[in-house]
Amino acid sequence: MKELLTKDAEVGLAYYPSPTRKTDYTLITVRYHQIWVCIDAVAANRLVYHYLSQQKGIRKLQREVTYRDSRFDLAREDENGYGYVEVKSVNLVIETSDHRNRCACFPDAPTKRGTKHIKELTSGLKEHQNNALYFVVQRNDADCFVPNQLTDPEFTQAFQNARQNGLDVHVLLCDVTIDQMNVIKEIPVYALDDNGNITKGNHD
């Protein structure tokens, strides 16, 4: 998050005094080019839990559920059956080379854990077709989502394979203030070519 946490950046802090903490504050948001960006990954989990709880047909939601060798953020049961849900927070937004689109991009650093989660959700589709992956874009200035091929090609390959095998993928764009975050809408998933432009045909 080097592009966000710059010298003299305006930030939002939460006050949580405790003798077991190194500091009494938690960094929650940062102001970047006149918009607020939430950098609290835990907030994404809470938001998706609330978002799913508002959906019709939800019968059961659980937090922090173990499946195989991983612990997933949520498990849900609805009319489509039972499945596991992993949530990823997104802070990075890049502009395509033709300057036509601003793309939310994940991950911003290599993530073996993230790759493992996607692979296990995908391989588990035979047992649980309701498995899903949610990306929470914790800022409001993105048009679409792309996996970060340059930063983590292994994650990108696992992500593309997951979509080809039918893993349910959602990207939630959020409006963020200094102390609140709310879903605006879902945005589409794309792919970028070698020139940094959106690849036609690779989208929802």
Side-chain angles (χ1 to χ4, degrees):
M1 292 184 286
K2 292 185 293 184
E3 75 282 357
L4 299 177
L5 299 177
T6 58
K7 184 180 179 181
D8 298 326
E10 184 179 356
V11 300
L13 304 173
Y15 182 54
Y16 295 120
S18 170
T20 62
R21 291 172 55 96
K22 292 182 179 180
T23 72
D24 289 337
Y25 295 89
T26 298
L27 182 60
I28 302 296
T29 52
V30 59
R31 195 170 179 85
Y32 176 74
H33 290 180
Q34 306 307 311
I35 68 165
W36 284 101
V37 181
C38 179
I39 57 176
D40 178 13
V42 177
N45 294 354
R46 293 195 298 264
L47 182 139
V48 172
Y49 182 91
H50 177 74
Y51 183 78
L52 290 177
S53 70
Q54 303 302 307
Q55 305 299 307
K56 291 182 179 180
I58 289 290
R59 299 168 185 161
K60 187 177 182 180
L61 274 177
Q62 295 173 272
R63 289 187 170 99
E64 298 293 328
V65 181
T66 299
Y67 173 62
R68 295 184 175 178
D69 294 326
S70 293
R71 178 176 288 273
F72 292 99
D73 295 309
L74 299 168
R76 65 175 175 182
E77 184 178 358
D78 57 25
E79 65 268 20
N80 297 314
Y82 187 85
Y84 298 92
V85 179
E86 182 64 13
V87 179
K88 301 298 183 187
S89 62
V90 183
N91 310 114
L92 177 64
V93 171
I94 62 172
E95 193 173 71
T96 56
S97 297
D98 58 11
H99 307 294
R100 294 182 179 180
N101 295 93
R102 291 181 58 78
C103 301
C105 198
F106 183 92
D108 58 6
T111 172
K112 290 184 178 180
R113 182 171 177 268
T115 301
K116 176 187 175 185
H117 281 155
I118 289 184
K119 288 181 176 179
E120 290 196 338
L121 286 174
T122 305
S123 64
L125 286 172
K126 293 180 180 179
E127 301 173 62
H128 303 289
Q129 294 183 356
N130 210 24
N131 286 355
L133 179 63
Y134 276 78
F135 293 95
V136 178
V137 184
Q138 301 187 161
R139 50 195 292 175
N140 67 7
D141 59 338
D143 308 303
C144 60
F145 172 87
V146 295
N148 198 338
Q149 167 70 29
L150 183 62
T151 295
D152 196 336
E154 185 178 358
F155 174 88
T156 299
Q157 182 59 50
F159 176 78
Q160 292 171 341
N161 181 64
R163 296 193 73 214
Q164 290 170 0
N165 281 276
L167 182 66
D168 191 24
V169 177
H170 298 268
V171 184
L172 306 181
L173 181 71
C174 295
D175 184 49
V176 179
T177 66
I178 191 171
D179 59 359
Q180 291 186 9
M181 182 167 68
N182 297 289
V183 176
I184 301 173
K185 61 181 180 180
E186 293 199 26
I187 58 176
V189 177
Y190 292 88
L192 296 182
D193 61 21
D194 292 338
N195 296 316
N197 295 315
I198 288 174
T199 303
K200 292 182 179 180
N202 288 280
H203 58 82
D204 289 336

